């Protein structure tokens, strides 16, 4: 009975993840979560941004330690290999990225007095816990074609891995450029160079590309759901950021840039 109940829970969790996407996309067309350049007071207790990011992303490195060993593919080298890109991204996002934010903040001459809303950090924690459960449980337990797909595993894995690593490179480069730019004199300035000449938010573009690669690698409904949810979350935010830059810098902001998808959006 227990395996049946757990499988039922997995299916409902997967369905709920798909149902989260459309309302998230619609809601974010009208308002933005209050952090970063969209930060504003009046959203309850706040904590430091580095701590907030650590809390939000922490399920992605703690839950695999709990869930992966209980999967039927725990000792399968293919499952371990498939899980590694996910862990690579979130080890950086959970440990190194908050440290980089802290270092960047400590170097600013003018520090922001508005913290990261606690409720938003808790919401991010719960969403990431759901997502991590789906991804880890699929790779370690429910994926059943590791050795019966006629070798397609390797085509999907390496094809998706190339896309994933390309996206991760864009994402990390853009994050670094923004942190450096903000730490130089404090405040926001017009980012220039590289992917910033094409889109306003290459950091979001990189993350979208990453999870497209992950969807190809896992070839799963969970991976596809994660990619679609990432789009529903980041595309509206990128559009809002693009509008923010245009309003703040006016004629000094390049008019040929798109928000997040080169030449399209």
């Amino acid at each position: 009975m227990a395996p049946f109940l757990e499988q039922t829970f997995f299916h409902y969790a997967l369905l709920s993840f798909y149902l989260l996407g459309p309302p998230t996309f619609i809601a974010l067309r009208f308002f933005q979560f209050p952090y970063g350049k969209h930060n504003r007071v009046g959203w309850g207790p706040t904590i430091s941004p580095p701590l907030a990011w650590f809390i939000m992303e922490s399920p992605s490195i703690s839950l695999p330690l709990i869930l992966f060993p209980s999967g039927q593919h725990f000792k399968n080298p293919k499952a371990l290999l498939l899980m590694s890109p996910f862990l690579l991204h979130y080890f950086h996002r959970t440990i190194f990225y908050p440290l980089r934010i802290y270092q960047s903040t400590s170097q600013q001459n003018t520090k922001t007095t508005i913290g990261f809303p606690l409720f938003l950090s808790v919401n991010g924690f719960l969403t990431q816990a759901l997502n991590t459960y789906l991804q880890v449980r699929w790779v370690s337990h429910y994926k059943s074609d590791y050795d019966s797909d006629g070798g397609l595993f390797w085509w999907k894995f390496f094809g998706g891995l190339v896309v994933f690593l390309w996206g991760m490179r864009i994402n990390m480069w853009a994050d670094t450029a923004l942190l450096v730019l903000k730490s130089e004199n404090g405040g926001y300035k017009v980012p220039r160079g590289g992917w910033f000449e094409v889109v306003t938010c290459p950091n979001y573009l990189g993350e979208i590309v990453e999870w497209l690669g992950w969807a190809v690698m896992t070839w799963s409904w969970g991976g596809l759901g994660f990619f679609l949810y990432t789009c529903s979350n980041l595309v509206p935010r990128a559009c809002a950021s693009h509008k923010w830059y245009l309003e703040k810098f006016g004629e000094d902001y390049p008019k040929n840039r798109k928000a997040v998808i080169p030449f399209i959006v």
Side-chain angles (χ1 to χ4, degrees):
M1 180 61 71
F4 174 77
L5 291 176
E6 201 274 337
Q7 188 173 15
T8 301
F9 176 79
F10 177 86
H11 288 155
Y12 277 110
L14 180 60
L15 177 61
S16 68
F17 202 51
Y18 272 88
L19 293 176
L20 279 174
T24 297
F25 180 84
I26 294 171
L28 292 181
R29 296 295 294 174
F30 297 97
F31 79 96
Q32 288 302 311
F33 290 130
Y35 69 92
K37 63 179 63 64
H38 302 287
N39 211 341
R40 52 198 181 274
V41 297
W43 291 81
T46 62
I47 57 178
S48 71
L51 177 59
W53 280 104
F54 174 79
I55 291 173
M56 286 192 295
E57 308 289 16
S58 59
S60 57
I61 58 175
S62 59
L63 280 182
L65 299 177
I66 300 171
L67 295 173
F68 206 92
S70 66
Q72 63 176 328
H73 304 303
F74 170 53
K75 296 183 179 181
N76 189 327
K78 290 182 178 179
L80 295 170
L81 184 64
L82 184 55
M83 200 72 239
S84 59
F86 183 93
L87 296 175
L88 174 66
H89 170 92
Y90 280 112
F91 188 80
H92 168 263
R93 184 61 69 180
T94 306
I95 304 298
F96 289 108
Y97 184 64
L99 290 175
R100 295 167 70 195
I101 295 177
Y102 176 79
Q103 182 182 26
S104 174
T105 303
S106 66
Q107 292 174 352
Q108 294 178 32
N109 295 326
T110 303
K111 297 183 181 180
T112 179
T113 58
I114 304 177
F116 198 105
L118 179 61
F119 92 92
L120 192 57
S121 183
V122 173
N123 179 74
F125 176 91
L126 295 175
T127 303
Q128 189 57 22
L130 172 63
N131 175 57
T132 300
Y133 165 75
L134 291 171
Q135 309 309 321
V136 174
R137 201 59 178 154
W138 172 262
V139 172
S140 67
H141 191 72
Y142 288 114
K143 184 173 172 60
S144 60
D145 61 347
Y146 282 112
D147 300 309
S148 61
D149 63 356
L152 288 177
F153 171 84
W154 295 111
W155 286 99
K156 291 180 287 190
F157 176 76
F158 285 114
L161 183 63
V162 169
V163 176
F164 181 92
L165 293 178
W166 180 46
M168 188 172 184
R169 184 173 182 272
I170 296 173
N171 176 255
M172 293 178 65
W173 172 83
D175 280 343
T176 299
L178 290 172
L179 289 173
V180 170
L181 189 63
K182 192 173 181 181
S183 66
E184 288 177 348
N185 297 305
Y188 288 95
K189 292 174 282 294
V190 177
R192 298 190 184 278
W195 283 94
F196 285 109
E197 299 302 320
V198 184
V199 295
T200 294
C201 299
N203 49 335
Y204 296 160
L205 168 64
E207 191 148 351
I208 289 170
V209 171
E210 277 188 80
W211 301 122
L212 173 61
W214 173 255
V216 174
M217 276 189 285
T218 60
W219 208 254
S220 66
W221 288 111
L224 177 61
F226 187 19
F227 166 69
L228 294 176
Y229 181 78
T230 299
C231 292
S232 72
N233 185 23
L234 297 186
V235 171
R237 187 166 182 86
C239 291
S241 295
H242 184 70
K243 180 180 178 182
W244 183 91
Y245 274 109
L246 287 171
E247 292 176 349
K248 182 175 180 62
F249 296 103
E251 294 299 322
D252 293 329
Y253 197 74
K255 298 298 185 293
N256 61 326
R257 292 187 191 178
K258 295 296 184 180
V260 62
I261 306 299
F263 314 112
I264 300 175
V265 179

